[in-house]
Amino acid sequence: MRKPIIAGNWKMHKTISEGLFFAKALVTNSQIREAAAQVDIIIAPPYTAISRMAELVQNAPIALAAQDIFWEEFGAFTGAISAPMVKDAGAKYVIIGHSERRQLFQETDAMVNRKIKAALQYDLIPIFCIGETLAEREAGEVTAIITKQLQSGLSELTMAQLTSVVIAYEPVWAIGTGKTATPEEAEAVHLTIRNLLVQKFNPEVAAMVKIIYGGSVKASNSKELLSKPNIDGALVGGASLQVDEFMGIISHIF
Ligand code: PEP
């Protein structure tokens, strides 16, 4: 049984005090413990807020994620943040290969693979993002793109390591656009991903991997998406910035 995940990706939003305000509202929500028995709740704030938010949620069933890491441990890499640094700040997860990193910061599949390996080395759970652009979907290339991203991103990982990876299918055309893949479209790709994991690893390991969906998920459309057998949760951008909306998505699971 795969425990679902609802993860909020705040991107470049919220100061430390805004992050603390949100975390406090979540921690004091009367339903949070009941919810957390059924769903893993994760927030990925900007780096600057991780440490203070980690103090606030330390006794609550809420985990924190970093939005990215660099693969080196330390050194002359101005502006970069490493896996041990975000771990030290209180992150348990790290988002890797988000399409905004790939498109705006020229991250390649090879770089994504190095980051995933660095995360695993420091006991961070990677939330590994993959997904096709609209042009690729219209050209009928979804499976080819997903296969390439998956093969490269998971290259040289052991089976044991794979069970610690969360895969996020995020069609690029659905991120921040208000357009969501239909539950059927998303489920079809999630099933393709699981079948690729069966081929690359084995059925038992593939059945353990959580595959979550991202792309304009909100309270009003999450119920149907989350009801699909291979959709193990959601990575939520815009709708994770408001407590009520975020809790609305979570409430569809418990
Ligand atoms: C995301 O940032 O991963 C995302 C899915 O954003 P949004 O929910 O705003 O589309």
Side-chain angles (χ1 to χ4, degrees):
M1 187 56 192
R2 298 181 295 267
K3 189 177 181 191
I5 289 175
I6 300 294
N9 172 18
W10 284 358
K11 315 191 185 197
M12 202 172 74
H13 292 285
K14 295 195 192 288
T15 60
I16 296 173
S17 56
E18 288 165 345
L20 290 172
F21 185 80
F22 185 110
K24 203 166 186 178
L26 217 54
V27 166
T28 55
N29 185 294
S30 59
Q31 293 184 300
I32 201 74
R33 293 207 175 265
E34 194 190 337
Q38 308 294 330
V39 49
D40 287 334
I41 303 167
I42 305 168
I43 300 171
Y47 293 126
T48 46
I50 294 177
S51 156
R52 296 281 303 280
M53 283 181 64
E55 283 168 23
L56 206 153
V57 302
Q58 64 178 331
N59 295 316
I62 296 160
L64 297 177
Q67 295 178 18
D68 185 34
I69 47 167
F70 187 51
W71 55 79
E72 295 291 346
E73 190 182 339
F74 58 85
F77 305 105
T78 302
I81 306 268
S82 70
M85 288 172 183
V86 299
K87 177 100 185 158
D88 181 49
K92 180 175 173 192
Y93 294 80
V94 55
I95 298 172
I96 294 179
H98 192 280
S99 66
E100 286 152 16
R101 300 292 320 168
R102 293 177 187 261
Q103 293 196 321
L104 303 173
F105 300 92
Q106 285 75 47
E107 281 193 12
T108 63
D109 288 332
M111 290 160 78
V112 168
N113 175 247
R114 292 184 80 172
K115 291 182 176 195
I116 290 175
K117 287 192 278 198
L120 291 167
Q121 194 185 334
Y122 287 93
D123 259 343
L124 286 163
I125 301 173
I127 301 176
F128 165 36
C129 302
I130 56 176
E132 80 288 355
T133 63
L134 185 58
E136 288 162 347
R137 174 163 280 259
E138 285 175 349
E141 292 169 355
V142 178
T143 302
I145 295 295
I146 295 296
T147 306
K148 177 177 145 303
Q149 291 176 339
L150 216 54
Q151 290 290 0
S152 311
L154 301 178
S155 174
E156 296 170 3
L157 259 61
T158 64
M159 288 200 199
Q161 285 177 316
L162 180 74
T163 59
S164 303
V165 176
V166 174
I167 296 174
Y169 169 57
E170 297 210 303
V172 180
W173 49 271
I175 298 179
T177 58
K179 286 185 207 150
T180 320
T182 64
E184 292 69 31
E185 282 170 337
E187 170 65 13
V189 181
H190 283 229
L191 189 58
T192 301
I193 294 169
R194 203 169 304 284
N195 288 336
L196 289 165
L197 296 177
V198 171
Q199 281 167 33
K200 188 170 167 58
F201 296 90
N202 68 39
E204 290 74 32
V205 168
M208 289 167 74
V209 177
K210 296 179 191 181
I211 308 173
I212 63 177
Y213 170 79
S216 298
V217 174
K218 43 188 186 260
S220 61
N221 63 19
S222 55
K223 194 172 182 179
E224 269 208 282
L225 283 160
L226 296 170
S227 70
K228 294 290 173 193
N230 285 288
I231 301 184
D232 305 317
L235 181 54
V236 185
S240 71
L241 294 170
Q242 262 102 44
V243 178
D244 289 353
E245 188 69 19
F246 192 55
M247 278 308 293
I249 297 168
I250 291 169
S251 71
H252 290 317
I253 296 186
F254 76 98

